[in-house]
């Protein structure tokens, strides 16, 4: 029985994780749940899974959960609040594994706390690697923490690797394993065929209408700009120890082939499946075994044609910016993440236009890409300064 902490439990990945637990109660026990401010969902999950701890970022939400759980004396959950409490449930001795699914930079410190304490980490928070890269990987190696990738694309790559490399996440030697390329696929989002001149007038509602995946608003906008694929490019670089020549991005509208690994003998191994995050979640949670996820098997008879194409950087300048930032260095990717968080939320709130997301990000990266990063504190400091700078750019756009 594995004691599991779920960080970001009220979000999409967190809820999918709990559904996998629900279907495999003989294998997993929910030790702790961590979330932001969704008290209603946390109350429901505490009643169902009765964790030892529930942590919310906001004390007002935590108090609401405490008050409601008093009506359920059979539930022994201790309700806490704040970042220190999140770090505690991520590193607690009673915890065996951690699902790191808090969205954005807010999920970095708790994911790092899990790694430093040697936990098995199911990594769904890509910002951990975008912002800290080698610091995160080095911490995992030092503590002997096992990192298993949850993002569908990285999980597909993971599944397509030789078993020897699956046990070397962060330190893979793909050339020695006979691998020539990792092929990272992305749907291209809702504007794959939109005339370029119409992108300036894209609305938040249009950007949130993803053609294949059901996700939260921020990541859905990132998918429409393909910034999300750029972030996944950066994440893949660190997870699989990739050189520039070993990774390619392909637009694959059907979202059936989640990514591929190309070998030197001409073979290509791909992972296919219906677009449901419970599949990669169940894979990492059960690794090296397989368990029921609740996802329907793919019906190949009903499957339409599969198409692949190179990304158009005129349509997806955010993707090109992320790729360039990846090879520029840790300061560039940290600044990019900060600027994108600011710009996307400004767009969702109607403060800037769709194409301004790229403009804010590009200007912010140019401002900070030469900064030096020595430790996590300097990462967080740079991220904070980049957020301020990006917010100032947004204010100028509004004038």
């Amino acid at each position: 029985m594995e004691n599991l902490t779920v960080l970001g439990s009220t979000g999409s990945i967190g809820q999918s994780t709990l559904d996998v637990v629900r279907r495999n109660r003989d294998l997993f026990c929910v030790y702790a749940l961590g979330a932001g401010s969704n008290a209603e969902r946390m109350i429901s999950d505490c009643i169902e899974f009765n964790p030892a701890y529930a942590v919310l970022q906001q004390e007002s939400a935590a108090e609401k959960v405490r008050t409601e759980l008093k009506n359920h004396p059979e539930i022994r959950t201790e309700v806490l609040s704040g970042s220190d409490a999140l770090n505690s449930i991520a590193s607690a001795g009673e915890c065996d594994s951690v699902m790191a699914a808090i969205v954005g930079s807010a999920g970095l410190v708790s994911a790092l706390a899990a790694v430093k304490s040697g936990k098995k980490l199911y990594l769904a928070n890509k910002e951990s690697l975008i912002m800290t890269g080698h610091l995160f990987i080095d911490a995992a190696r030092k503590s002997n923490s096992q990192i298993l990738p949850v993002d569908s694309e990285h999980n597909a790559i993971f599944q397509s690797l030789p078993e020897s490399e699956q046990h070397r996440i962060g330190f893979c030697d793909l050339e020695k394993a006979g691998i020539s390329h990792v092929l990272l696929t992305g749907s291209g989002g809702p504007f794959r065929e939109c005339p370029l001149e119409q992108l300036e007038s894209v609305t938040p509602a249009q950007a949130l209408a993803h053609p294949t995946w059901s996700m939260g608003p921020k990541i859905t906008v990132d998918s429409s700009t393909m910034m999300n694929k750029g972030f996944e490019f950066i994440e893949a670089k660190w997870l699989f120890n990739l050189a520039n020549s070993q990774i390619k991005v392909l637009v694959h509208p059907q979202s059936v082939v989640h990514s591929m690994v190309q070998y030197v003998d001409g073979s290509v191994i791909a992972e296919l499946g219906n677009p449901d995050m419970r599949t990669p979640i169940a894979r990492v949670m059960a690794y090296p075994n397989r368990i029921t996820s609740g996802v329907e098997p793919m019906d190949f008879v009903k499957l339409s044609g599969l198409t692949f194409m190179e990304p158009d950087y005129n349509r997806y300048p955010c993707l090109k910016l992320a790729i360039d930032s990846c090879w520029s260095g840790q300061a560039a990717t940290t600044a990019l993440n900060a600027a994108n968080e600011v710009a996307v939320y400004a767009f969702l709130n109607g403060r800037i236009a769709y194409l301004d997301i790229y403009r804010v990000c590009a200007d912010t990266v140019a401002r900070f890409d030469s900064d030096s990063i020595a430790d996590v504190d300097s990462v967080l400091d740079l991220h904070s300064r980049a957020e301020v700078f990006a917010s100032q750019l947004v204010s100028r756009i509004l004038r």
Side-chain angles (χ1 to χ4, degrees):
M1 181 72 72
E2 181 175 299
N3 281 339
L4 172 68
T5 288
V6 184
L7 304 176
S9 64
T10 60
S12 175
I13 297 295
Q15 289 298 294
S16 292
T17 300
L18 292 178
D19 189 57
V20 172
V21 172
R22 188 178 291 120
R23 298 168 187 275
N24 299 275
R25 289 184 180 271
D26 58 324
L27 299 176
F28 305 101
C29 174
V30 177
Y31 170 73
L33 299 173
S37 60
N38 191 336
E40 290 74 16
R41 173 56 63 183
M42 181 63 82
I43 291 167
S44 175
D45 290 339
C46 285
I47 292 173
E48 179 177 2
F49 294 100
N50 196 13
Y53 297 95
V55 178
L56 293 103
Q57 283 281 17
Q58 297 183 8
E59 171 58 26
S60 59
E63 182 57 31
K64 185 174 182 179
V65 174
R66 288 189 200 100
T67 300
E68 177 59 31
L69 291 185
K70 289 178 181 178
N71 298 321
H72 300 270
E74 73 281 6
I75 304 302
R76 302 296 184 179
T77 302
E78 183 176 354
V79 183
L80 306 170
S81 66
S83 298
D84 288 345
L86 277 177
N87 298 340
S88 294
I89 62 171
S91 58
E94 299 88 344
C95 168
D96 301 311
S97 59
V98 175
M99 173 61 72
I102 295 176
V103 176
S105 58
L108 166 61
V109 176
S110 54
L112 190 57
V115 162
K116 287 183 175 180
S117 61
K119 306 303 179 187
K120 184 192 300 182
L121 185 74
Y122 308 134
L123 185 61
N125 170 266
K126 58 177 60 66
E127 287 77 12
S128 296
L129 292 176
I130 293 165
M131 292 173 60
T132 60
H134 72 90
L135 297 173
F136 198 89
I137 295 298
D138 288 349
R141 188 173 202 175
K142 184 176 181 180
S143 68
N144 202 30
S145 173
Q146 182 183 21
I147 300 175
L148 296 168
V150 173
D151 273 353
S152 59
E153 294 81 1
H154 304 100
N155 187 267
I157 296 165
F158 173 81
Q159 294 196 53
S160 302
L161 292 176
E163 183 179 359
S164 61
E165 301 310 302
Q166 291 177 343
H167 292 282
R168 289 165 48 85
I169 295 301
F171 307 96
C172 298
D173 188 340
L174 300 191
E175 184 177 358
K176 185 177 180 180
I179 294 168
S180 60
H181 292 96
V182 163
L183 304 175
L184 190 66
T185 61
S187 71
F191 308 127
R192 182 173 49 85
E193 298 179 346
C194 177
L196 293 179
E197 62 272 14
Q198 294 182 16
L199 291 178
E200 190 70 59
S201 59
V202 162
T203 67
Q206 290 172 318
L208 291 174
H210 196 280
T212 51
W213 290 96
S214 175
M215 304 173 290
K218 197 265 183 183
I219 193 172
T220 303
V221 174
D222 285 345
S223 295
S224 74
T225 64
M226 287 197 78
M227 181 69 87
N228 190 54
K229 200 56 49 184
F231 285 156
E232 289 170 2
F233 185 103
I234 299 166
E235 189 178 6
K237 186 260 189 190
W238 291 111
L239 285 170
F240 307 113
N241 194 25
L242 294 168
N244 195 353
S245 60
Q246 293 177 313
I247 180 170
K248 298 178 180 178
V249 176
L250 294 175
V251 175
H252 170 49
Q254 295 81 19
S255 297
V256 170
V257 177
H258 297 142
S259 277
M260 301 174 275
V261 173
Q262 193 169 40
Y263 288 79
V264 295
D265 62 3
S267 301
V268 178
I269 297 179
E271 189 269 336
L272 288 72
N274 288 319
D276 190 314
M277 286 304 298
R278 290 176 297 175
T279 296
I281 289 169
R283 180 62 181 132
V284 297
M285 288 174 62
Y287 182 81
N289 302 311
R290 293 187 183 267
I291 55 176
T292 298
S293 68
V295 180
E296 289 295 318
M298 180 170 290
D299 187 340
F300 283 89
V301 174
K302 296 180 180 178
L303 190 64
S304 62
L306 304 181
T307 57
F308 303 88
M309 63 203 76
E310 292 184 353
D312 177 1
Y313 292 137
N314 291 318
R315 182 177 301 279
Y316 304 114
C318 286
L319 172 61
K320 182 64 164 60
L321 177 62
I323 291 173
D324 290 344
S325 297
C326 177
W327 307 118
S328 178
Q330 201 73 72
T333 58
T334 298
L336 177 63
N337 183 74
N340 186 65
E341 288 186 3
V342 170
V344 168
Y345 287 120
F347 166 69
L348 287 171
N349 291 324
R351 301 179 66 212
I352 62 174
Y354 183 72
L355 294 184
D356 287 332
I357 295 173
Y358 167 75
R359 296 169 185 137
V360 169
C361 290
D363 288 352
T364 304
V365 169
R367 168 64 178 80
F368 292 98
D369 66 351
S370 61
D371 281 29
S372 61
I373 287 179
D375 52 29
V376 174
D377 286 341
S378 60
V379 169
L380 296 174
D381 176 67
L382 190 151
H383 196 272
S384 178
R385 288 186 288 115
E387 284 180 322
V388 172
F389 184 81
S391 296
Q392 292 171 344
L393 293 177
V394 168
S395 298
R396 291 173 194 166
I397 291 171
L398 288 171
R399 290 175 186 168

